[in-house]
Amino acid sequence: MKLSKRTKSISGIIAIAVGAIIAAYGVQAFIVPSGLSGGGVGGIALLLYYTLKLPIGLMTFLLNIPLFILGWREINKHFVFKTIWGLVIYSIFLDLFKGIQPVAINDIFLGALYGGVFSGISSSLVFRFGGSLGGTDIVSKVIQRRYGVPMGTSALAINSVIIMISWAMLGSKVALYTLVTLFVYGRVLDLIQSGVPSKSITIISDQSEALVDRIMEDLGRGATFLSGRGAYSNESKNVIICVVSLPELGRLKQAVREVDPQAFMIVTNAGEVLGRGFVKNE
């Protein structure tokens, strides 16, 4: 059953709020008790908290105001509205959660690890519904639109500067463990955004028809034939393309070995798979 546009909009607003709350919880429960910094505006707000005891949530919001003014003229208005909504919730709960520490974190590595996990989960939820929590996301989008620089490149450059400032103000240990947080954040975000871990398989076989029948019978997966021609033999061949989930890969290899031990098979990572049997389309 398809949801109405209004229902989807309300669901998105709620999801962004939930993501913002999770992000705020992760910062106050793991990042702050471990004395870690961060990237973007959040990293600057943390530095101001550690050095001047200024509220993290309030400073996060205030530091983003100039960025919103910049983004209003350069970026899609819906994105800016959703980002403002997410940032307001994030900033409020950052200060509401001050002092919360459900588990005593006496290991800076655990703080970095769990801080990165919570950040990755929260950001994936916010991004999924077309929002962000402000900061370098806005700057990176503007730079991309004006100069064609990829968002990841500009965000990395900005975060690198902030990490260097953290190094100078808080010491090398904090800066290095902050990099662990950012790395874990990126990996968790990629994992969730990519959906089901999958493999793209390319098979060249003289038994292509029998092999596809076996794949559909044993794995319940479809496949596609592409027309190919051997460069050495100059003979026409069917090239099989199919996508399987990670747990199915072993069964596919076994099926290929049994049907055609001489088959040539290439296994590559499928960054994202949409469609029947994997992730539902919008």
Side-chain angles (χ1 to χ4, degrees), residues 37 42 44 59 68 100 102 129 139 149 168 180 183 191 200 268:
S37 183
I44 298 174
M59 294 313 301
F68 283 125
I100 189 172
F129 289 90
V139 179
V149 178
V180 173
F183 175 78
L191 179 62
S200 176
T268 58

Side-chain angles (χ1 to χ4, degrees), residues 26-274:
V27 170
Q28 290 289 11
F30 302 105
I31 300 297
V32 172
S34 301
L36 296 167
S37 183
V41 170
I44 298 174
L46 285 168
L47 289 176
L48 292 173
Y49 172 74
Y50 294 139
T51 56
L52 302 176
K53 298 302 178 182
L54 297 176
I56 302 173
L58 177 61
M59 294 313 301
T60 298
F61 182 79
L62 293 178
L63 290 170
N64 271 286
I65 291 177
L67 303 182
F68 283 125
I69 296 174
L70 174 66
W72 183 260
R73 299 178 61 183
E74 299 285 342
I75 304 175
N76 181 280
K77 301 300 185 292
H78 292 293
F79 172 79
V80 175
F81 276 126
K82 289 180 179 180
T83 300
I84 291 175
W85 165 247
L87 178 65
V88 168
I89 299 298
Y90 179 57
S91 300
I92 291 173
F93 277 87
L94 268 174
D95 290 338
L96 285 178
F97 285 149
K98 181 180 179 181
I100 189 172
Q101 193 175 1
V103 180
I105 301 294
N106 300 317
D107 187 333
I108 191 172
F109 176 74
L110 289 178
L113 178 64
Y114 284 103
V117 169
F118 271 77
S119 295
I121 292 172
S122 60
S123 292
S124 66
L125 184 58
V126 173
F127 293 161
R128 169 67 177 78
F129 289 90
S132 81
L133 299 179
T136 54
D137 294 333
I138 295 176
V139 179
S140 297
K141 277 185 175 290
V142 171
I143 293 175
Q144 182 186 45
R145 286 173 64 93
R146 286 191 179 183
Y147 307 107
V149 178
M151 286 184 63
T153 301
S154 57
L156 177 61
I158 295 169
N159 288 334
S160 297
V161 172
I162 296 172
I163 293 299
M164 293 306 295
I165 296 173
S166 299
W167 189 306
M169 296 179 64
L170 304 177
S172 59
K173 183 177 180 180
V174 169
L176 292 173
Y177 276 108
T178 297
L179 289 175
V180 173
T181 300
L182 295 176
F183 175 78
V184 173
Y185 158 77
R187 294 300 298 168
V188 171
L189 181 62
D190 286 345
L191 179 62
I192 296 176
Q193 293 285 80
S194 297
V196 181
S198 305
K199 298 291 183 179
S200 176
I201 315 298
T202 303
I203 307 171
I204 302 173
S205 169
D206 293 330
Q207 306 292 328
S208 57
E209 296 282 353
L211 190 51
V212 165
D213 289 342
R214 180 70 177 272
I215 291 172
M216 291 190 292
E217 180 181 348
D218 285 8
L219 281 74
R221 293 291 184 193
T224 299
F225 284 129
L226 301 179
S227 297
R229 183 168 59 88
Y232 179 76
S233 65
N234 205 33
E235 294 180 357
S236 296
K237 292 179 180 292
N238 282 330
V239 179
I240 303 170
I241 301 291
C242 66
V243 177
V244 298
S245 64
L246 194 57
E248 294 171 331
L249 180 58
R251 291 162 55 195
L252 176 62
K253 289 180 178 180
Q254 180 64 31
V256 173
R257 282 194 294 266
E258 292 178 1
V259 174
D260 183 8
Q262 304 302 316
F264 183 79
M265 182 167 60
I266 303 171
V267 180
T268 58
N269 291 323
E272 185 173 9
V273 182
L274 303 175

